């Protein structure tokens, strides 16, 4: 619990930093916890109190991130009560720390408070300096007087100093750091082979008694989930568009009002030579006018290769105003007069190719415009449809009756489980993927349509559960073939592991592993190097193999099951490699920091637990339940 109460502050520096940010403390809703507020007291912590209004603020800070991510938190739910309890635990812990700081005589002088406020970026103006007006504005926004804020800040800093003193533990011994570093960075070099179980032993056969015993021992594997069938309406504007009537006048008006949308402006493919001075540009232009090749002039005068001349395709709107007229009045294949660049220097442009303006005629655009108008009107009408659906359902109509009354297509799903998987895999049903659909199917009441739901992709959804088949245990006769397959899979894996182990023992530390496993067809050419926290890159090899490898010594041959338990992983350990501190000083420092922070966190948690145990804490469960 104590670790959870400090979630978000995983390191000691982070705890101190968080403890010194005043407004974040206010964000937790921790006000002056020493003020007696009578009937609003939700907890007594020794001689201090926690007020329900402070808890409400702290609770909102717990809930808001969940709601922002789409997780609803309803008052009275188990989730709401758990979040309220967590927020209360945090407030109680802060109260204990404040009391302990006070008992230790920790006081904060006015100069410390003044310096902290002056250095808080929340109170800076646009020039990046402290501004009294900004300070007062922030306090007013948070509903705080200056006196109360100073009291909060004083408590906060004193708590930080108290926790700082508790966490001032001596550095861990170097022998401990060395040991942890070597453990974490040690590598094993291995030869690996993944041998299918059926290459090690033949497929076992089972007696009926074996299967029945396996069935009885694994009843949970043969339970059929709850299946439900439902009628539903899922309507999008596209579905309504075909029924919308559009007049010829409306289509013509839309075409006329958006003429630019049906016109592709003239485009020109340009080549360019830049010059530093007008004189250079004029000289090059004269040479081109005299018959010189544009690309050759670019190479001679500017050192540019042919591919460097290409700028691409441009419309008038793509160019600076100073350049567009000269360029778009120059014939195809010709070169402009020298032009002053708006960015500096002088330019020559060659119009290499022209694509003339292309206007889509009304007849060619008509179908597209009509479709767009239909869809636009359908989007507008879908809100009216939502009201019509509401009226039908409020009058007691079923989904089928509602669909018939409004001329809509009703759809069905038949015998699907909570994951949306049909009981009959051959039914080829299309299960809607719209969020909330399966929730409505599996939390809705039988023969009681849902409300009209606006989907996040612009549609309307109504669901009515029409049939419920409760979860049940499938009898043995129904699942006998599945039981047989499961039994064979398990038994084959068990026998294969024994066979692989026997072959590994035959190899020993000095035998030829390839020779011993030759009949399985295994190849041990797969060399891998990894640490305790890595898995080999070989498919189907997981952490169970890593654990087995690191539990053995160099030269040993170990066996472990593959990830899917369809094969045995045989590993011969070729070498054990320890990392030298001098080779990885950053890694060593990281381990040192990690161990130090772990020790500090343990000390702080132990101290927090001691304060909880030594302090009388009474919680008003009635008030807690009433508000949350």
């Amino acid at each position: 619990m104590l670790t959870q109460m400090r979630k978000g502050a995983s390191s000691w520096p982070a705890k101190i930093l968080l403890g010194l940010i005043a407004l974040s403390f206010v964000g937790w809703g921790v006000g002056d916890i020493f003020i007696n507020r009578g009937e609003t007291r939700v907890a007594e912590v020794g001689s201090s109190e926690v007020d329900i209004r402070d808890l409400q603020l702290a609770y909102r800070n717990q809930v808001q991130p969940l709601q922002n991510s789409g997780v609803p938190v309803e008052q009275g739910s188990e989730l709401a009560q758990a979040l309220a309890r967590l927020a209360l635990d945090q407030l109680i812990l802060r109260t204990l720390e404040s009391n302990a700081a006070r008992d230790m005589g920790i006081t904060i002088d006015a100069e410390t408070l003044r310096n902290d406020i002056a250095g808080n970026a929340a109170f800076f103006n646009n020039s990046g300096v402290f501004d009294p007006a900004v300070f007062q504005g922030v306090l007013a926004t948070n509903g705080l007087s200056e006196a109360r804020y100073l009291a909060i800040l004083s408590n906060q800093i004193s708590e930080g100093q108290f926790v700082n003193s508790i966490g001032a533990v001596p550095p861990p011994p170097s022998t401990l750091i060395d040991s942890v570093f070597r453990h974490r960075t040690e590598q094993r070099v291995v030869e690996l082979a993944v041998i299918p179980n059926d290459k090690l032993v033949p497929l076992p056969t089972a007696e009926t008694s074996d299967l029945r015993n396996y069935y009885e021992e694994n009843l949970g594997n043969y339970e059929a989930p709850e299946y439900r069938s439902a009628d539903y309406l899922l309507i999008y504007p596209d579905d309504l568009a075909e029924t919308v009537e559009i007049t010829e006048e409306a289509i013509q008006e839309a075409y006329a009002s958006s003429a630019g949308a049906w016109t592709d402006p003239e485009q020109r493919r340009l080549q360019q030579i830049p010059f530093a001075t007008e004189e250079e540009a004029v000289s090059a232009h004269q040479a081109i006018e005299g018959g010189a090749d544009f690309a050759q002039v670019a190479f001679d005068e500017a050192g540019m290769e042919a591919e460097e001349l290409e700028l691409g395709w441009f419309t008038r709107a793509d160019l600076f105003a100073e350049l567009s007229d000269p360029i778009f009045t120059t014939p195809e294949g010709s070169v402009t007069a020298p032009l002053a660049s708006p960015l500096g220097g002088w330019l020559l442009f060659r119009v290499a190719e022209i694509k003339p303006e292309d206007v889509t005629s009304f007849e060619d655009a008509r179908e597209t415009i009509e479709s767009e108008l239909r869809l636009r009107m359908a989007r507008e009408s879908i809100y009216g449809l939502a009201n019509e659906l509401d009226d039908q359902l409020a009058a007691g109509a079923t989904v089928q009756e509602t669909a018939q009354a409004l001329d809509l297509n009703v759809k069905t799903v038949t015998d699907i489980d909570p994951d949306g998987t049909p009981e009959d895999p051959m039914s080829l049903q299309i299960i809607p993927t719209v969020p909330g659909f399966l929730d409505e199917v599996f939390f809705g009441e039988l023969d009681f349509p849902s409300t009209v739901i606006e989907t996040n992709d612009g549609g309307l959804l109504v669901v009515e559960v029409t049939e419920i088949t409760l979860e049940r245990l499938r009898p043995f006769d129904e699942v006998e073939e599945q039981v047989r397959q499961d039994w064979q899979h398990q038994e084959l894996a068990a026998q294969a592991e024994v066979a692989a182990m026997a072959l590994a023992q035959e190899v020993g530390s000095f035998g030829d592993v390839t020779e011993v496993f030759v009949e399985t067809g295994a190849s041990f050419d797969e060399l891998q190097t990894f640490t305790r926290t890595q898995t080999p890159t070989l498919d189907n090899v997981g952490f169970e193999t890593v654990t087995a490898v690191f539990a053995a010594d160099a030269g040993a041959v170990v066996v472990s099951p593959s990830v899917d338990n369809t094969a045995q992983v045989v590993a011969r350990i070729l070498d054990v490699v320890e990392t030298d501190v001098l080779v990885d000083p950053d890694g060593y420092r990281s381990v040192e920091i990690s161990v130090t922070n772990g020790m500090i966190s343990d000390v702080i948690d132990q101290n927090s637990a001691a304060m909880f145990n030594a302090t009388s804490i009474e919680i008003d469960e009635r008030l807690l339940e009433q508000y949350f």
Side-chain angles (χ1 to χ4, degrees):
M1 179 182 73
L2 297 175
T3 300
Q4 282 297 318
M5 284 189 283
R6 292 189 176 276
K7 185 172 69 174
S10 59
S11 69
W12 174 243
K15 293 174 183 175
I16 296 302
L17 180 61
L18 292 174
L20 294 176
I21 301 177
L23 290 181
S24 70
F25 190 71
V26 174
W28 278 110
V30 184
D32 187 350
I33 57 179
F34 305 112
I35 295 177
N36 189 338
R37 296 176 180 165
E39 296 303 318
T40 61
R41 180 183 62 229
V42 70
E44 288 187 13
V45 184
S47 59
S48 302
E49 300 172 353
V50 176
D51 190 272
I52 189 66
R53 288 167 289 188
D54 291 332
L55 178 56
Q56 285 179 298
L57 290 173
Y59 169 79
R60 283 199 291 272
N61 279 281
Q62 296 278 7
V63 169
Q64 187 173 359
L66 293 175
Q67 292 180 330
N68 290 345
S69 62
V71 179
V73 182
E74 298 181 3
Q75 184 173 356
S77 65
E78 290 185 7
L79 178 58
Q81 293 172 5
L83 292 173
R85 180 69 67 170
L86 178 60
L88 180 58
D89 286 341
Q90 291 169 329
L91 294 185
I92 290 172
L93 178 59
R94 291 189 179 278
T95 305
L96 289 169
E97 291 174 347
S98 292
N99 291 348
R102 181 190 59 202
D103 293 343
M104 290 178 65
I106 296 176
T107 58
I108 308 301
D109 58 28
E111 185 67 20
T112 300
L113 295 176
R114 186 161 42 248
N115 291 338
D116 189 281
I117 292 172
N120 192 329
F123 307 136
F124 289 177
N125 58 22
N126 291 335
S127 300
V129 297
F130 175 79
D131 189 328
V134 175
F135 173 65
Q136 294 297 335
V138 172
L139 296 191
T141 301
N142 286 275
L144 293 168
S145 66
E146 184 172 333
R148 188 177 181 204
Y149 175 72
L150 291 174
I152 292 171
L153 180 58
S154 178
N155 283 339
Q156 184 183 10
I157 296 176
S158 64
E159 288 173 26
Q161 292 186 357
F162 166 73
V163 176
N164 189 23
S165 66
I166 296 299
V169 299
S174 58
T175 53
L176 174 61
I177 305 299
D178 292 343
S179 178
V180 174
F181 175 77
R182 287 195 301 271
H183 181 82
R184 290 185 180 179
T185 60
E186 179 185 306
Q187 295 179 312
R188 298 291 171 103
V189 182
V190 300
E191 266 185 334
L192 285 174
V194 180
I195 308 172
N197 291 333
D198 57 9
K199 296 291 185 180
L200 289 162
V201 292
L203 186 67
T205 57
E207 301 293 337
T208 302
S209 59
D210 296 326
L211 300 181
R212 287 194 175 276
N213 289 337
Y214 184 87
Y215 170 79
E216 293 293 337
E217 293 169 0
N218 298 275
L219 293 176
N221 295 339
Y222 306 106
E223 292 179 348
E226 179 177 317
Y227 288 102
R228 292 194 173 201
S229 301
D231 295 333
Y232 69 95
L233 296 170
L234 182 56
I235 307 154
Y236 291 99
D238 289 350
D239 302 321
L240 304 178
E242 291 301 319
T243 65
V244 175
E245 294 185 4
I246 305 296
T247 65
E248 186 70 15
E249 292 76 11
I251 300 174
Q252 291 177 349
E253 181 181 349
Y255 178 80
S257 63
S258 58
W262 301 103
T263 301
D264 290 330
E266 178 183 329
Q267 297 182 65
R268 296 193 166 203
R269 182 167 66 85
L270 303 179
Q271 296 172 330
Q272 172 192 278
I273 308 174
F275 298 93
T277 66
E278 182 179 8
E279 291 74 13
E280 292 174 327
V282 170
S283 175
H285 182 259
Q286 291 173 345
I288 295 171
E289 289 292 299
D293 180 68
F294 185 81
Q296 188 62 47
V297 170
F299 181 80
D300 293 339
E301 301 294 333
M304 297 176 65
E305 299 291 344
E307 61 270 12
E308 296 178 284
L309 303 176
E310 294 293 336
L311 291 183
W313 289 92
F314 293 84
T315 66
R316 280 182 175 269
D318 297 330
L319 299 170
F320 288 110
E322 301 93 319
L323 304 178
S324 60
D325 282 344
I327 289 175
F328 272 79
T329 55
T330 298
E332 183 173 341
S334 298
V335 177
T336 65
L339 301 175
S341 170
L343 303 177
W346 290 78
L347 304 169
L348 287 182
F349 290 96
R350 179 176 180 270
V351 179
E353 191 176 351
I354 296 177
K355 288 182 181 177
E357 178 182 85
D358 182 25
V359 179
T360 302
S361 68
F362 172 74
E363 288 304 319
D364 290 338
R366 187 185 185 288
E367 184 177 345
T368 300
I369 293 174
E370 183 177 8
S371 297
E372 291 178 351
L373 289 176
R374 287 181 186 276
L375 186 58
R376 185 187 308 166
M377 293 185 67
R379 289 195 181 106
E380 294 172 357
S381 68
I382 200 165
Y383 299 106
L385 177 61
N387 292 330
E388 294 183 74
L389 289 169
D390 274 330
D391 292 342
Q392 290 287 331
L393 298 172
T398 66
V399 165
Q400 291 278 0
E401 292 167 344
T402 299
Q404 185 174 4
L406 300 179
D407 195 23
L408 300 172
N409 292 325
V410 65
K411 302 174 184 178
T412 63
V413 290
T414 305
D415 294 329
I416 61 172
D417 68 13
D419 294 327
T421 304
E423 182 178 24
D424 179 8
M426 303 303 293
S427 64
L428 302 179
Q429 298 185 61
I430 298 176
I431 311 301
T433 58
V434 60
F437 175 76
L438 290 176
D439 289 341
E440 292 298 329
V441 172
F442 276 86
F443 290 102
E445 297 181 28
L446 184 65
D447 299 326
F448 191 84
S450 70
T451 58
V452 180
I453 301 166
E454 294 184 13
T455 67
N456 60 1
D457 55 355
L460 299 176
L461 173 68
V462 181
V463 178
E464 181 181 358
V465 180
T466 57
E467 185 179 355
I468 300 175
T469 303
L470 297 177
E471 61 183 47
R472 64 186 178 87
L473 176 64
R474 294 187 175 102
F476 175 79
D477 292 342
E478 182 180 329
V479 295
E480 182 176 357
E481 186 54 36
Q482 182 184 346
V483 173
R484 184 184 308 279
Q485 294 174 7
D486 294 344
W487 179 90
Q488 285 181 325
H489 177 79
Q490 177 177 293
E491 191 64 22
L492 179 65
Q495 293 182 16
E497 181 178 7
V498 172
M501 289 287 190
L503 291 172
Q505 290 177 356
E506 186 177 336
V507 175
S509 299
F510 305 102
D512 187 332
V513 65
T514 303
E515 182 179 326
V516 171
F517 282 89
V518 65
E519 292 186 7
T520 69
S523 172
F524 288 82
D525 295 333
E526 188 67 44
L527 284 176
Q528 297 275 326
T529 301
F530 47 87
T531 66
R532 298 173 192 271
T533 58
Q534 298 172 318
T535 55
T537 58
L538 196 60
D539 288 344
N540 216 5
V541 180
F543 275 110
E544 196 161 353
T545 297
V546 175
T547 300
V549 165
F550 276 87
D553 299 323
V557 178
V558 298
V559 175
S560 60
S562 64
V563 173
D564 63 5
N565 208 31
T566 63
Q568 301 302 311
V569 182
V570 181
R572 176 162 61 174
I573 305 166
L574 302 180
D575 196 10
V576 176
V577 181
E578 293 188 355
T579 303
D580 191 328
V581 174
L582 297 177
V583 175
D584 187 14
D586 291 340
Y588 187 85
R589 177 59 180 160
S590 176
V591 170
E592 184 177 22
I593 292 173
S594 174
V595 173
T596 302
N597 288 340
M599 291 175 59
I600 292 172
S601 295
D602 288 344
V603 170
I604 292 174
D605 285 349
Q606 290 295 327
N607 180 73
S608 299
M611 289 193 298
F612 268 91
N613 293 332
T615 306
S616 172
I617 299 174
E618 295 184 8
I619 297 173
D620 189 337
E621 299 289 350
R622 175 193 58 81
L623 201 59
L624 199 61
E625 183 175 351
Q626 175 185 340
Y627 277 83
F628 304 102

